[in-house]
C-alpha cells in the first residue's frame, strides 16, 4: 500500500509543475501588460521601463518563471502591485476558508449523489429511477451562483434564519462558522451533486449487471445485502475516480461563491487579482485553487485505489 | 438461461410462460421472493461458466465462500470463515487458511473455479447447477475440475445439473441426458442409451460431428445451417430446417416419443418406425 | 415498462428541450420585435416596479423593463455560446484528429497538454485567460472556446482512432490516397457526428460560463444586458425587488436545461448503446 501512495505522490509533482507553468505563461504572455495594469494606461514609457526593471519583468520569461517558482517553493509569492503586501501570508490566512468550503461542498454533493444514484440504479427504468433522473437533470441546469442568490433571498432576506454573508473562524465560533458556510457549501454541493449522481447511477447499473452479483443472488442474498456488501464498494471505486475529476472541474465555482457570500478565501483573492490586474496575487491564488483541486483529486483517487484490492494486493503466485 | 431460470434469477424482462420448475416435488414458480432466497444457496447452488467474473473482486475469497453460512445459518463471520477454510480444503485448494484471506485476482483460473465449487457446496445443497463450468479453463485444469465434481457427487450425494456443449464431458460425467436445441428438449435418456442409439437426427448429427480416436476422420463433420433465431423459430419441429430426414409431418411439433425403455426423442420418424 | 414507453418519454424530454432552446434562440433573433421596450431606456421614476400590466416582469434599479432586457440578453448568450462552441469544436477537432492520425510523440505531447488544460477548474481557467486577454465579450468567447478544446479533442481523437482501425482506411492507403484526401474524405465525415452531438451539451455549459463571467463583471459590460450581469446588479436590490434575483436566473435555467435535454436526446439518438445504459 505504501508503494501505491508513493507512486501517486511522485506523479503529483510534475502535474503541479506543469499547471504552474501554464498559469505563469498565460498571465505573462502579453508583454508590458503587467506594468500597464499596475501603473495605469497613461504611464510613460520610462515609468514602465523602470517598473519592469524593478519587478524583474525585463528578464527572459523562463528566468522569471524559475525565479517565481523557486521563491514560491519557499512560500514567497512576491508582493501585491496594489497594496504592496506579501502574497504568501495572505494565502496562508485564506486557505483554511476555501478548504472548509470545499470539504463541506464535496460532502454535501456525495451525501446527495451516492444514495440517490444507488436508488435510481436499483430501480433502473422504473418510477423511482425516472423521478431521480428528472431531479438530476433539473439540478444540473441550475447555476450555482443563482442557487446562492435564491438561498440568500429566502433564508437570509425573507425567513432571516441565516446570515447573508461574512466569515467567522471555526476555532473562534463553530456555530457561527457553520451558519455562515452552510449556504455557500449548499450552492456548490447541490449543483455538483447532479453530475455525480449521474455517474454513480451509471456505475452502479454497470456493477449490478455483472456476474458476481448473480453469484451473490444465487447464494440467496437479499437485495439490500447484495447492494451493500457486493455492489456498493465496486461502484464506489470507479465512481470516486471519475467523480473527483468532474467535481474538480466544477470547483472553479468557489471563485463566484466566495465573492457572493463575502468569504475571505483564496477564490475571492483570484477575483481581487483579476479586477485589480494584480498579477502576483492572481497567479498565486489561481495556482493555489488549482493545487487544492488536484490534491483533492489525488486524495480521492488514492482512497479509490485503497478500496480496490486489485491495486493494493499484487498478484502473488500464479 | 436454463440455469438462471432454475434459480429464479431471470432478468426482469423475461417471464416463464409454460412449464414448471420443481425441486423434490415443490414447484419453485409459486414461491415468494423470500422463499426463493431460502432455496438459493441451501437447496440449489450454482457453479458458473466464468469463475473470474463470478467472484467479487473486492471481497476476500474466504468471505465469499463462507457467506452462505452467514446468510442461511445465522453464523458469525468468524465461524463462517472457519467453515469456508474447511470447504476450500474439501475442494483440494492448497494452503486453504492462507488462501481464504486472499482476493480472487491472486488466484489462477483453476483455483477460482475450485473456490466457486467450495462456495456452491458450502451448505451441501442436494442440487448443483453447473453451467459449462470448464469452458473458460485450460484443458488440464478442466480435467481436474471434472474429477472434483465427480468426487463431490459421490461423497456428498449431490445431484448435478450439468450444462455443456462437450459430448466427451457428457459421456464422462452424466447418468441421464437431455439434448436441448433452440430451447426445446429433443431427446432424453440414460447416457449409455443415447450414445449407443441416438433417436433424434440432431443427436445423431452431433455424435457424428465429434471426432474420436477410433474413427479418425480426415475432415470434421458439421451440421449445415445455423441455430434459428429465438424471435423467428420455425413452425413445428425446431430442427426442421437443418434436418436431412424432414418430411411433411415435421411442420407439426412432435411430442417425446419412445425410442426404447427410458429413452425418448421428439421426432416423427420414431412414430413411423414403431407405429 | 416496455421499450416503446421509454422512447416516448425520451422524445417528450427532447420536445421540452426543443421548446426551451427554440424560445431562447427566437428571443435572440427577434429580440427587437418581441421586446415591448428598449432594453436601455432609463426611467428613474419607474424604478424597481413590481410586475404589472405595463411591465410584465417589473423594472430594474434604473427603471428599465426587465422582460425586454431578459429577451435581449438571450442574444448575448446565444452569440457567445455559438462562437465559443465553434472555437472549441474546430480547435478540438484539429488537435484530436492530428494526434490520432500521426500518433507517436505528436499524439503524446498534444494529448498530455490537453489533459493538463482539463485538470484546471473550468471557470478558474476562463478567469485567468480573461486576465491575459483583457475583459471584453469577444475575449470571453475566446476564453470559453479554449476551455472546450480539451473535451472535443479527446472525442475527436477517439473517433479518429476508431475510423483508422477500419479496413477501408488501409485500403485507401494501399491505393495511394494522400493523407489529406484520407483525412477529408474518410475521417472527417465519421468524426463529425459525435462532435456535433457533444456540441449541444457544450452549448449548455457555454451559456453557464458566459453568465458566470458576466456575473463577475468579466463578460458583457453594462449597459449591455446579459443574464449574468443582470443577476449581479439585481442582487443589490433584492430586499426591495426580489424579481431582480429570480427572473435572470430562470432565463439561464431555461437556456441550460434546454440545451442539456437536447444534447441528451441527440446522444441517445446517435448512440444506441448508451440508450441501454442510461
Amino acid at each position: 500500500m505504501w508503494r501505491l501512495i508513493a507512486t501517486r505522490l511522485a506523479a503529483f509533482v510534475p502535474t503541479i509543475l506543469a499547471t504552474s507553468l501554464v498559469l505563469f505563461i498565460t498571465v505573462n504572455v502579453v508583454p508590458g501588460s503587467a506594468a500597464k495594469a499596475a501603473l495605469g494606461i497613461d504611464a510613460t514609457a520610462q515609468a514602465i521601463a523602470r517598473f519592469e526593471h524593478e519587478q524583474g519583468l525585463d528578464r527572459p520569461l523562463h528566468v522569471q518563471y524559475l525565479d517565481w517558482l523557486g521563491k514560491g517553493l519557499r512560500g514567497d509569492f512576491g508582493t501585491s502591485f496594489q497594496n504592496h503586501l506579501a502574497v504568501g501570508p495572505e494565502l496562508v490566512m485564506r486557505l483554511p476558508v476555501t478548504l472548509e468550503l470545499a470539504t463541506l461542498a464535496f460532502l454535501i454533493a456525495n451525501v446527495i449523489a451516492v444514495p440517490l444514484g444507488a436508488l435510481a440504479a436499483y430501480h433502473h427504468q422504473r418510477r423511482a429511477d425516472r423521478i431521480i433522473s428528472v431531479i438530476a437533470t433539473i439540478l444540473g441546469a441550475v447555476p450555482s451562483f443563482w442557487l446562492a442568490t435564491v438561498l440568500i433571498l429566502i433564508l437570509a432576506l425573507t425567513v432571516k434564519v441565516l446570515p447573508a454573508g461574512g466569515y467567522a473562524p471555526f476555532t473562534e465560533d463553530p456555530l457561527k462558522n457553520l451558519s455562515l458556510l452552510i449556504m455557500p457549501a449548499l450552492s456548490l454541493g447541490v449543483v455538483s451533486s447532479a453530475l455525480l449522481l449521474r455517474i454513480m447511477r451509471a456505475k452502479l447499473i454497470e456493477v449490478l449487471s455483472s456476474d458476481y452479483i448473480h453469484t451473490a443472488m444465487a447464494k440467496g442474498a437479499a437485495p439490500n445485502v447484495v447492494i451493500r456488501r457486493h455492489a456498493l464498494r465496486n461502484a464506489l471505486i470507479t465512481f470516486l475516480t471519475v467523480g473527483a475529476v468532474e467535481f474538480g472541474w466544477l470547483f472553479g465555482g468557489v471563485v463566484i461563491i466566495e465573492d457572493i457570500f463575502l468569504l475571505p478565501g483564496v477564490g475571492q483573492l483570484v477575483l481581487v487579482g483579476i479586477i485589480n490586474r494584480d498579477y502576483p496575487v492572481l497567479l498565486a491564488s489561481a495556482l493555489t485553487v488549482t493545487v487544492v483541486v488536484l490534491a483533492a483529486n489525488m486524495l480521492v483517487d488514492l482512497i479509490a485505489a485503497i478500496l480496490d484490492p486489485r491495486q493494493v494486493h499484487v498478484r502473488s503466485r500464479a | 438461461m436454463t440455469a438462471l431460470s432454475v434459480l429464479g434469477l431471470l432478468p426482469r424482462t423475461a417471464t416463464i410462460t409454460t412449464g414448471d420448475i420443481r425441486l423434490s416435488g415443490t414447484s419453485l414458480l409459486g414461491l415468494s421472493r423470500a422463499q426463493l432466497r431460502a432455496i438459493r444457496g441451501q437447496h440449489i447452488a450454482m457453479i458458473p461458466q466464468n469463475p473470474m467474473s463470478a467472484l467479487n473482486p473486492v471481497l476476500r475469497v474466504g468471505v465469499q465462500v463462507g457467506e452462505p453460512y452467514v446468510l442461511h445459518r445465522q453464523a458469525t463471520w468468524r465461524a463462517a470463515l472457519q467453515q469456508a477454510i474447511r470447504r476450500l480444503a474439501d475442494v483440494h485448494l492448497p494452503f486453504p487458511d492462507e488462501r481464504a484471506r486472499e482476493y480472487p485476482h491472486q488466484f489462477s483460473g483453476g483455483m477460482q473455479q475450485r473456490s466457486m465449487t467450495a462456495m456452491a457446496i458450502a451448505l451441501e445443497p442436494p442440487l448443483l447447477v453447473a453451467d459449462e463450468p470448464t469452458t473458460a479453463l485450460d484443458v488440464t485444469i478442466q480435467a481436474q475440475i471434472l474429477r472434483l465434481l465427480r468426487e463431490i457427487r459421490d461423497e456428498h450425494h449431490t445431484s448435478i445439473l450439468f450444462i455443456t456443449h462437450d459430448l466427451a464431458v457428457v459421456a464422462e460425467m452424466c447418468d441421464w441426458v437431455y439434448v436441448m436445441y433452440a430451447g426445446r428438449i429433443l431427446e432424453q435418456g440414460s447416457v449409455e442409451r443415447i450414445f449407443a442409439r441416438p433417436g433424434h437426427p440432431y443427436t445423431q448429427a452431433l455424435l457424428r460431428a465429434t471426432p474420436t480416436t477410433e474413427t479418425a476422420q480426415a475432415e470434421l463433420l458439421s451440421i449445415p445451417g445455423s441455430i434459428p433465431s429465438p424471435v423467428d423459430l420455425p413452425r413445428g419441429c425446431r430442427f426442421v430446417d437443418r434436418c436431412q430426414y424432414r418430411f411433411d409431418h415435421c411442420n407439426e411439433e412432435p411430442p417425446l416419443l419412445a425410442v426404447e425403455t427410458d429413452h425418448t426423442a421428439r421426432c416423427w420418424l420414431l412414430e413411423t418406425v414403431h407405429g | 415498462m416496455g421499450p416503446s414507453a421509454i422512447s416516448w418519454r425520451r422524445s417528450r424530454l427532447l420536445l421540452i428541450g426543443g421548446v426551451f432552446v427554440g424560445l431562447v434562440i427566437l428571443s435572440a433573433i427577434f429580440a427587437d420585435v418581441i421586446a415591448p421596450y428598449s432594453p436601455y431606456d432609463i426611467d428613474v421614476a419607474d424604478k424597481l416596479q413590481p410586475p404589472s400590466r405595463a411591465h410584465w416582469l417589473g423594472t430594474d434599479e434604473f427603471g428599465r423593463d426587465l422582460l425586454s432586457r431578459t429577451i435581449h440578453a438571450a442574444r448575448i448568450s446565444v452569440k457567445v455560446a455559438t462562437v465559443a462552441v465553434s472555437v472549441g469544436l474546430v480547435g478540438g477537432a484539429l488537435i484530436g484528429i492530428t494526434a490520432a492520425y500521426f500518433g507517436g510523440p505528436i499524439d503524446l505531447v498534444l494529448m498530455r497538454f490537453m489533459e493538463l488544460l482539463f485538470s484546471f477548474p473550468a471557470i478558474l481557467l476562463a478567469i485567468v485567460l480573461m486576465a491575459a486577454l483583457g475583459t471584453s465579450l469577444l475575449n470571453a468567447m475566446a476564453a470559453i472556446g479554449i476551455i472546450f478544446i480539451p473535451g472535443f479533442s479527446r472525442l475527436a481523437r477517439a473517433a479518429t482512432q476508431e475510423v483508422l482501425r477500419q479496413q477501408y482506411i488501409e485500403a485507401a492507403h494501399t491505393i495511394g490516397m494522400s493523407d489529406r484526401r484520407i483525412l477529408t474524405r474518410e475521417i472527417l465525415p465519421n468524426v463529425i457526428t459525435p462532435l456535433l452531438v457533444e456540441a449541444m451539451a457544450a452549448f449548455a455549459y457555454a451559456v453557464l460560463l458566459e453568465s458566470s463571467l458576466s456575473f463577475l463583471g468579466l463578460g458583457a459590460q453594462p449597459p449591455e444586458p446579459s443574464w449574468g450581469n443582470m443577476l449581479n446588479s439585481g442582487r443589490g436590490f433584492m430586499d426591495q425587488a426580489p424579481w431582480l434575483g429570480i427572473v435572470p436566473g430562470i432565463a439561464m435555467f431555461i437556456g441550460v436545461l434546454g440545451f442539456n435535454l437536447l444534447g441528451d436526446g441527440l446522444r441517445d439518438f446517435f448512440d444506441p448503446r448508451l440508450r441501454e445504459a442510461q
Side-chain angles (χ1 to χ4, degrees):
Chain A
M1 174 158 21
W2 295 113
R3 220 173 83 190
L4 184 81
I5 294 173
T7 333
R8 298 294 161 108
L9 280 175
F12 188 55
V13 176
T15 316
I16 296 296
L17 286 179
T19 49
S20 75
L21 184 62
V22 169
L23 284 175
F24 188 86
I25 291 176
T26 312
V27 170
N28 290 291
V29 74
V30 185
S33 64
K36 280 209 190 87
L39 304 173
I41 28 172
D42 319 319
T44 60
Q46 291 102 312
I48 288 176
R50 201 175 58 235
F51 178 84
E52 292 202 322
H53 188 70
E54 277 169 19
Q55 300 284 337
L57 297 175
D58 51 354
R59 297 170 297 167
L61 209 55
H62 67 271
V63 178
Q64 288 184 48
Y65 171 68
L66 290 176
D67 184 41
W68 173 74
L69 187 70
K71 285 181 178 161
L73 286 175
R74 277 171 274 137
D76 174 10
F77 285 97
T79 53
S80 156
F81 289 168
Q82 206 69 30
N83 54 20
H84 306 289
L85 293 176
V87 181
E90 178 89 29
L91 283 176
V92 174
M93 222 165 62
R94 285 168 175 266
L95 194 56
V97 183
T98 303
L99 286 181
E100 193 189 344
L101 175 59
T103 313
L104 278 177
F106 189 70
L107 284 180
I108 289 173
N110 280 293
V111 163
I112 298 173
V114 172
L116 283 184
L119 199 66
Y122 184 67
H123 295 286
H124 183 35
Q125 294 191 350
R126 284 185 291 190
R127 170 161 294 174
D129 179 26
R130 291 204 301 275
I131 293 171
I132 292 171
S133 295
V134 168
I135 293 174
T137 309
I138 288 174
L139 282 185
V142 175
S144 63
F145 53 97
W146 183 47
L147 182 60
T149 312
V150 172
L151 284 177
I152 290 177
L153 183 61
I154 297 171
L155 297 176
L157 297 180
T158 313
V159 191
K160 298 198 167 86
V161 286
L162 287 172
Y167 180 70
F170 187 79
T171 45
E172 280 170 24
D173 189 346
L175 217 63
K176 189 166 180 212
N177 170 279
L178 282 179
S179 74
L180 284 163
L181 273 161
I182 188 75
M183 278 200 290
L186 271 176
S187 311
L188 266 180
V190 168
V191 169
S192 317
S193 73
L195 185 75
L196 296 188
L197 197 162
R198 283 177 158 218
I199 300 171
M200 181 67 201
R201 175 177 170 274
K203 294 298 165 197
L204 195 56
I205 286 174
E206 209 176 286
V207 166
L208 282 178
S209 65
S210 57
D211 281 358
Y212 55 82
I213 295 300
H214 276 133
T215 305
M217 293 199 285
K219 270 191 258 189
N224 64 326
V225 175
V226 172
I227 297 251
R228 232 173 347 100
R229 194 179 297 152
H230 291 274
L232 216 49
R233 188 159 156 197
N234 285 291
L236 274 179
I237 289 169
T238 42
F239 164 73
L240 286 176
T241 321
V242 183
V245 175
E246 300 287 351
F247 184 80
W249 211 58
L250 294 172
F251 188 69
V254 276
V255 176
I256 307 184
I257 295 300
E258 287 185 357
D259 181 51
I260 293 177
F261 291 97
L262 310 172
L263 285 173
V266 184
Q268 196 190 43
L269 200 59
V270 174
L271 214 56
V272 172
I274 181 167
I275 287 167
N276 294 336
R277 298 276 153 159
D278 199 339
Y279 286 0
V281 169
L282 174 66
L283 204 52
S285 52
L287 182 63
T288 308
V289 172
T290 311
V291 170
V292 166
V293 166
L294 290 175
N297 270 351
M298 187 195 59
L299 206 67
V300 173
D301 208 36
L302 208 56
I303 293 172
I306 289 170
L307 280 176
D308 187 353
R310 282 162 295 188
Q311 299 217 39
V312 180
H313 300 264
V314 218
R315 199 183 161 120
S316 52
R317 287 155 285 189
Chain B
M1 216 40 143
T2 311
L4 287 178
S5 65
V6 169
L7 283 157
L9 290 176
L10 285 174
R12 220 177 269 142
T13 47
T15 41
I16 295 171
T17 47
T18 56
D20 194 3
I21 301 170
R22 285 174 173 277
L23 180 71
S24 315
T26 334
S27 169
L28 300 187
L29 294 185
L31 296 184
S32 71
R33 284 172 198 220
Q35 285 170 320
L36 266 178
R37 278 203 296 277
I39 300 256
R40 290 180 203 140
Q42 283 201 96
H43 301 280
I44 308 177
M46 199 167 133
I47 299 174
Q49 184 168 9
N50 186 347
M52 178 76 200
S53 61
L55 282 161
N56 192 326
V58 302
L59 294 178
R60 293 175 199 275
V61 172
V63 170
Q64 301 190 54
V65 173
E67 196 183 5
Y69 294 99
V70 176
L71 291 171
H72 298 290
R73 299 275 193 271
Q74 285 74 45
T76 61
W77 278 107
R78 181 185 290 272
L81 282 177
Q82 287 312 309
Q83 297 288 346
I85 292 168
R86 241 188 55 212
R87 286 304 179 202
L88 288 172
D90 282 353
V91 298
H92 313 304
L93 191 80
F95 312 107
D97 40 354
E98 279 172 43
R99 288 299 190 177
R101 284 194 295 270
E102 293 190 349
Y103 290 94
H105 72 277
Q106 294 167 294
F107 280 30
S108 69
M111 285 157 61
Q112 286 169 348
Q113 195 60 301
R114 282 180 193 278
S115 311
M116 287 306 299
T117 310
M119 191 191 302
I121 63 168
L123 304 180
E124 308 215 356
L127 175 63
L128 283 184
V129 179
D131 185 1
E132 302 195 42
T134 56
T135 325
L137 302 174
D138 292 343
V139 184
T140 46
I141 311 293
Q142 282 185 16
Q144 292 175 18
I145 295 293
L146 291 178
R147 199 179 313 136
L148 174 67
L149 289 175
R150 266 203 312 272
E151 188 185 312
I152 286 164
R153 180 191 64 190
D154 298 339
E155 284 178 16
H156 300 260
H157 307 289
T158 310
S159 310
I160 302 180
L161 172 58
F162 200 104
I163 301 164
T164 182
H165 287 116
D166 191 337
L167 287 174
V169 172
V170 173
E172 201 178 338
M173 294 293 297
C174 302
D175 303 317
W176 192 264
V177 179
Y178 295 90
V179 180
M180 292 194 65
Y181 180 82
R184 272 285 191 281
I185 292 173
L186 293 189
E187 184 161 5
Q188 65 177 54
S190 69
V191 66
E192 297 83 9
R193 288 183 172 166
I194 284 195
F195 273 81
R197 200 172 164 226
H200 198 283
Y202 174 60
T203 318
Q204 292 162 6
L206 267 187
L207 288 172
R208 268 202 307 280
T210 311
T212 56
T213 39
E214 292 104 72
T215 60
Q217 293 148 337
E219 207 179 321
L220 276 177
L221 285 171
S222 61
I223 307 173
S226 55
I227 300 177
S229 142
V231 292
D232 186 27
L233 291 170
R235 237 157 46 90
C237 176
R238 298 266 160 117
F239 190 59
V240 64
D241 294 337
R242 301 171 74 185
C243 184
Q244 51 177 326
Y245 305 112
R246 74 168 159 264
F247 60 111
D248 296 347
H249 207 152
C250 296
N251 288 331
E252 209 179 305
E253 181 155 44
L256 282 165
L257 297 165
V259 182
E260 56 197 312
T261 327
D262 285 342
H263 180 186
T264 54
R266 205 181 283 282
C267 182
W268 291 118
L269 287 172
L270 295 165
E271 196 182 45
T272 37
V273 172
H274 297 287
Chain C
M1 189 79 217
S4 61
I6 293 168
S7 65
W8 181 78
R9 186 180 136 259
R10 278 279 163 211
S11 58
R12 191 173 47 169
L13 289 180
L14 202 64
L15 185 73
I16 298 173
V19 168
F20 283 177
V21 167
L23 207 67
V24 172
I25 289 182
L26 287 179
S27 303
I29 297 174
F30 299 110
D32 297 320
V33 188
I34 308 170
Y37 300 91
S38 152
Y40 307 109
D41 278 355
I42 294 177
D43 182 358
V44 189
D46 235 5
K47 72 173 181 183
L48 301 178
Q49 290 301 307
S52 64
R53 190 168 295 177
H55 299 284
W56 288 2
L57 298 178
T59 62
D60 70 1
E61 69 274 22
F62 295 109
R64 295 173 295 198
D65 181 53
L66 200 57
L67 176 63
S68 305
R69 285 181 67 74
T70 307
I71 291 173
H72 273 270
R75 197 170 264 190
I76 300 229
S77 274
V78 171
K79 197 162 76 182
V80 172
T82 310
V83 175
V85 170
S86 310
V87 169
L89 183 81
V90 173
L94 281 178
I95 291 176
I97 294 174
T98 312
Y101 195 77
F102 294 104
I106 295 180
D107 183 27
L108 193 76
V109 170
L110 282 177
M111 294 325 284
R112 271 288 154 82
F113 184 59
M114 290 297 111
E115 234 171 81
L116 189 62
L117 282 188
F118 199 75
S119 66
F120 286 98
I123 301 172
L124 186 79
L125 188 58
I127 291 172
V128 173
L129 285 169
M130 294 302 289
L133 300 169
T135 309
S136 79
L137 203 56
L138 195 72
N139 291 339
M141 299 180 197
I144 297 170
I146 291 172
I147 286 171
F148 286 141
I149 291 180
F152 279 113
S153 72
R154 238 189 244 178
L155 211 62
R157 176 170 176 268
T160 310
Q161 283 176 333
E162 180 83 33
V163 176
L164 286 176
R165 272 194 289 272
Q166 308 293 321
Q167 296 250 309
Y168 60 87
I169 295 297
E170 211 169 295
H173 270 298
T174 357
I175 60 167
M177 227 190 227
S178 71
D179 275 2
R180 206 178 122 190
R181 262 177 81 91
I182 292 176
L183 276 172
T184 52
R185 296 282 286 278
E186 309 292 345
I187 294 178
L188 214 51
N190 284 295
V191 173
I192 208 79
T193 313
L195 286 184
L196 286 179
V197 171
E198 185 63 21
M200 205 46 82
F203 240 93
Y205 205 68
V207 170
L208 199 66
L209 280 175
E210 184 276 323
S211 303
S212 307
L213 288 178
S214 295
F215 184 86
L216 293 172
L218 302 173
Q221 298 299 316
E224 196 73 47
S226 145
W227 296 329
N229 70 23
M230 285 164 65
L231 186 62
N232 190 32
S233 60
R235 268 194 315 141
F237 303 91
M238 261 194 326
D239 43 347
Q240 309 160 53
W243 54 90
L244 292 180
I246 292 173
V247 172
I250 290 178
M252 278 182 244
F253 175 72
I254 287 177
V256 175
L257 184 64
F259 284 115
N260 265 341
L261 289 177
L262 215 56
D264 282 359
L266 282 180
R267 205 173 299 170
D268 283 359
F269 184 76
F270 283 107
D271 193 346
R273 272 178 304 125
L274 277 174
R275 218 174 302 174
E276 292 283 309
Q278 292 291 307

